[in-house]
């Protein structure tokens, strides 16, 4: 913006409204919109082992930090009539966290589903459905989210159709587990019209009891028989889903996310959510190439994006097109490994793109200005991706570091890490994903390989550009549990590769300063410093010094993004102490 424009906006600014006695133009008014007086304010600005730069008071004006002081009362002269003051020495403040690989759109779709990820036994599971049924009109569908597994339940089994009937007699119920397994109650079965005579579609299973009657369970392609009955959400309902899901991120202290799988047609949904102020967190979008379908012709795919006005880097600090996403292998069950699967000696997983094919498609995107992130889980997938990246950089020697990114890089061996660092390829890692998948990983990949996933200590020591996320809803969305996991390497199957652990401060940096640097936003956020955007979260315990296990389930009591409260369950800002 030129100086003429800034002079204009200054002249148009009304006189200060915050205090009658203040005659300054609004732009020059010294009074803050908000002053936070806390026990500790961690800036996260030191790159070292601990936070050398911490404060006790912070002032915010026009979405930005205008004062930081070690003196608890040091920002008091910025308090005017309209200033919200939160004065509580029991609070510890940190920059909001980034979740650099997550799925807001998926979470939005499931925002109204019954959440089962925390259910510990069938009693809890069925109780959650009973509760939902009590507030749902009869005849209306009830659906569960899919990010849970029966092995998390004490009984280690799915509920039965009859058990679902007992808690929701008047509603059709669809229990989703993962992407391939559905269970409906009797009302759902009746609506689907599925009987003992119904044939399963090709590639699908309708489970039957001893008498040949359907049990309510459907697998693989047969799930379409029930899924088609649920009404598709309207555009407005989808925006509301994003509102709920993004508020869920803010409730864990997250202020910025990068959605790793946005279909080209969903960019409009994100824009609408931004325009309606429905995005509680800053969002970067990765447009996914060829998701759940055949690979597109890359030049045509890019033309369609351009025709929609979806361009590299387009957007603002609230919603921005980060780049494109490719998927070269799968997850637990079909990631491409160098050595055979532990439970299938004849199987090493598979690549979804050949190296040359990926280099050509991703290379074309890079030539058009796009950044590219490639999902690569197994060690074979990681070196195939690096082969493609090297070919792209060989063709375009000036390719900027950070243009090509490894998503996950679950198994990264020393020579692969060295290549990634030499190429300037950042890596996004997601400990909550490893935590949640670890029981299945041990079975499919064996314990040794599972313990080698996410070699954080090595990545950092070798100079990689690392940032952290959750892969929610595949992993749990819980910023502090992520820090806990990276520090302890704890999992449901015990400690995994303790030598790969990093310090708590390093882990918190992967979600703050390092993540903002990865996003190219290190000049405006990621640390708390003068002039930075006011993106911060306040906790009742100090996440950098509290007993480590307290981090699990530690939630902020206040999350502010862009100077506005996005999570304020106790009304700390709404009821901020007025000055005397
Ligand atoms: Zn993902």
């Amino acid at each position: 913006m030129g100086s003429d424009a800034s002079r204009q906006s200054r002249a148009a600014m009304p006189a200060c409204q915050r205090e009658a006695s203040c005659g300054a133009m609004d732009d020059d008014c010294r009074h803050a919109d908000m002053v936070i007086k806390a026990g500790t304010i961690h800036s996260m600005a030191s790159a070292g082992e601990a936070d050398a730069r911490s404060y006790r008071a912070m002032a915010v004006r026009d979405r930005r930090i205008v004062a930081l002081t070690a003196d608890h009362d040091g920002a008091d002269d910025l308090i005017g009539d309209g200033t919200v003051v939160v004065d509580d020495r029991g609070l510890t403040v940190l920059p909001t966290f980034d979740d650099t690989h997550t799925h807001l759109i998926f979470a939005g779709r499931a925002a109204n589903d019954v959440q089962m990820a925390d259910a510990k036994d069938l009693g809890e599971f069925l109780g959650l459905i009973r509760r939902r049924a009590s507030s749902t009109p009869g005849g209306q569908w009830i659906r569960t989210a899919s990010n849970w597994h029966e092995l998390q339940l004490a009984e280690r089994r799915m509920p039965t159709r009859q058990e679902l009937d007992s808690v929701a007699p008047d509603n059709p119920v669809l229990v989703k587990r993962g992407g391939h397994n559905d269970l409906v109650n009797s009302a759902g079965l009746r609506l689907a019209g599925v009987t003992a005579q119904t044939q399963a579609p090709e590639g699908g299973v309708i489970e039957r009891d001893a008498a040949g009657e359907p049990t309510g369970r459907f697998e693989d392609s047969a799930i379409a028989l029930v899924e088609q009955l649920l009404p598709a959400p309207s555009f407005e309902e989808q925006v509301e889903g994003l509102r709920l899901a993004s508020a869920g991120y803010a409730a864990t202290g997250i202020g910025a996310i990068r959605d790793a799988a946005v279909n080209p047609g969903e960019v409009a949904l994100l824009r609408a959510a931004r325009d309606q102020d429905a995005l509680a967190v800053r969002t970067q979008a990765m447009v996914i190439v060829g998701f759940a379908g055949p690979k597109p012709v890359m030049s045509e795919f890019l033309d369609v994006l351009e025709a929609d006005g979806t361009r590299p880097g387009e957007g603002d600090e609230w919603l921005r097109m980060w780049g494109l996403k490719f998927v070269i292998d799968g997850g637990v069950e079909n990631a491409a490994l160098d050595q055979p699967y532990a439970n299938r000696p004849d199987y090493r997983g598979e690549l979804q793109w050949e190296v040359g094919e990926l280099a050509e498609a991703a290379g074309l995107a890079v030539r058009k200005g796009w950044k590219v992130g490639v999902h690569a889980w197994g060690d074979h997938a990681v070196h195939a991706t690096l082969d493609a990246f090297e070919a792209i950089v060989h063709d375009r020697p000036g390719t900027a570091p950070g243009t090509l990114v490894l998503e996950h890089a679950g198994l990264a061996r020393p020579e692969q890490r060295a290549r990634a660092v030499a190429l300037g390829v950042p890596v996004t890692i997601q400990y909550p994903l490893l935590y949640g998948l670890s029981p299945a990983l041990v079975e499919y990949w064996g314990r040794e390989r599972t313990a080698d996933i996410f070699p954080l200590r090595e990545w950092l020591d070798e100079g990689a550009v690392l940032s952290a996320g959750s892969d929610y809803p595949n992993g749990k969305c819980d910023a502090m549990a992520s820090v806990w996991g990276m520090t302890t390497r704890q999992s449901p199957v015990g400690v995994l590769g303790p030598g790969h652990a990093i310090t708590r401060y390093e882990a918190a940096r992967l979600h703050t300063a390092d993540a903002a640097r990865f996003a190219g936003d290190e000049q405006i956020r990621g640390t708390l410093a003068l002039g930075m955007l006011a993106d911060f979260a306040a906790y009742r315990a100090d996440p950098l010094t509290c007993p480590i296990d307290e981090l699990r389930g530690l939630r902020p009591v206040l999350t502010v993004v862009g100077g506005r409260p996005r999570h304020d369950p106790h009304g700390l800002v709404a009821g901020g102490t007025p000055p005397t």
Side-chain angles (χ1 to χ4, degrees), residues 19-49:
E19 196 173 355
S21 62
C22 176
M25 302 302 273
D26 210 38
D27 208 26
D28 296 326
C29 175
R30 296 182 65 249
H31 298 145
D33 299 326
M34 190 187 299
V35 168
I36 305 288
K37 302 169 72 169
T40 308
I41 298 172
H42 291 296
S43 72
M44 298 308 294
S46 312
E49 269 300 285

Side-chain angles (χ1 to χ4, degrees), residues 111-471:
N112 284 308
D113 293 345
V114 187
Q115 303 297 321
M116 293 304 184
D118 291 327
K120 290 181 185 60
D121 54 39
L122 279 171
E124 270 182 46
F125 189 101
L126 294 167
L128 287 164
I129 291 176
R130 186 199 307 274
R131 221 170 106 194
R132 176 60 64 93
S134 71
S135 61
T136 305
Q140 217 169 75
W141 278 94
I142 292 169
R143 185 174 66 179
T144 73
S146 60
N147 59 336
W148 68 280
H149 196 285
E150 60 269 28
L151 294 184
Q152 81 192 42
L153 305 175
E155 297 84 355
R156 297 173 72 83
R157 66 166 176 88
M158 296 269 277
T160 64
R161 186 182 92 219
Q162 291 75 15
E163 284 167 338
L164 295 179
D165 291 345
S166 72
V167 290
D170 303 322
N171 299 85
V173 177
L174 169 55
V175 171
K176 289 184 67 62
R177 196 272 274 161
H180 306 276
N181 287 273
D182 281 3
L183 165 71
V184 293
N185 65 350
S186 299
L189 206 52
R190 273 195 300 279
L191 286 174
V194 173
T195 66
Q197 282 71 45
T198 310
Q199 292 283 319
E202 166 117 24
V205 176
I206 300 173
E207 193 185 76
R208 296 167 202 279
D209 62 20
E213 291 296 326
T215 62
R217 279 194 68 165
F218 297 82
E219 288 168 30
D220 297 317
S221 72
I223 67 176
L225 295 174
V226 288
E227 303 241 339
Q228 67 193 9
L229 302 172
L230 278 80
S234 68
F235 192 82
E236 289 70 30
E237 285 167 336
Q238 293 178 65
V239 170
E240 283 313 299
L242 293 180
R243 188 189 300 277
L244 280 170
S246 64
Y249 284 98
T252 81
I254 289 167
I257 61 114
R258 178 164 161 271
D259 191 319
V262 178
N263 283 305
E266 289 165 335
V267 173
L269 184 61
L270 289 174
R271 288 194 185 116
R274 189 258 323 267
D275 294 346
Q276 296 176 36
D277 197 25
L279 288 182
V281 294
R282 302 180 190 282
T283 301
Q284 299 207 17
M286 299 179 79
V287 179
I288 190 158
V289 178
F291 186 58
K295 288 170 203 151
V297 175
M298 202 57 204
S299 57
E300 291 172 8
F301 184 87
L302 295 173
D303 286 347
V304 168
L305 290 183
E306 180 143 6
D308 282 347
T310 303
R311 301 199 175 85
E314 171 238 332
D316 56 23
E317 63 196 33
W318 205 271
L319 173 64
R320 194 187 311 147
M321 294 306 119
W322 179 85
L324 303 187
K325 165 83 171 293
F326 291 76
V327 178
I328 197 173
D329 72 342
V332 177
E333 291 159 36
N334 43 16
L337 300 176
D338 280 336
Q339 301 301 324
Y341 275 61
N343 62 343
R344 288 179 68 183
D346 57 337
Y347 183 67
R348 292 168 193 243
E350 52 223 308
L351 291 180
Q352 296 175 20
W353 293 76
E354 293 306 323
V355 171
E357 189 186 26
L358 178 62
E360 196 182 321
L364 178 61
V366 167
R367 282 201 297 284
K368 298 251 182 183
W370 288 98
K371 291 184 187 183
V372 165
V374 177
H375 162 118
W377 250 106
D379 38 11
H380 184 59
V382 171
H383 58 71
T385 302
L386 288 166
D387 288 348
F389 285 179
E390 276 172 0
I392 292 168
V393 172
H394 184 263
D395 279 357
R396 279 179 70 87
T399 303
T403 302
L404 300 165
V405 175
L406 276 169
E407 307 291 334
H408 315 301
L411 284 178
R413 308 302 183 184
E415 71 280 5
Q416 296 161 0
R417 296 197 299 267
R419 289 168 72 194
V421 171
L423 280 169
V425 167
V427 184
T428 69
I429 61 97
Q430 305 79 24
Y431 198 85
L433 186 59
L434 171 57
Y435 182 91
L437 294 179
S438 58
L441 280 162
V442 166
E443 187 174 327
Y444 283 80
W445 297 20
R447 189 166 182 100
E448 199 181 320
R449 267 188 299 204
T450 300
D452 274 343
I453 292 173
F454 299 143
L456 297 163
R457 180 75 272 148
E458 293 86 338
W459 275 125
L460 284 184
D461 289 347
E462 292 160 12
V465 177
L466 219 57
S467 65
S470 65
D471 209 6

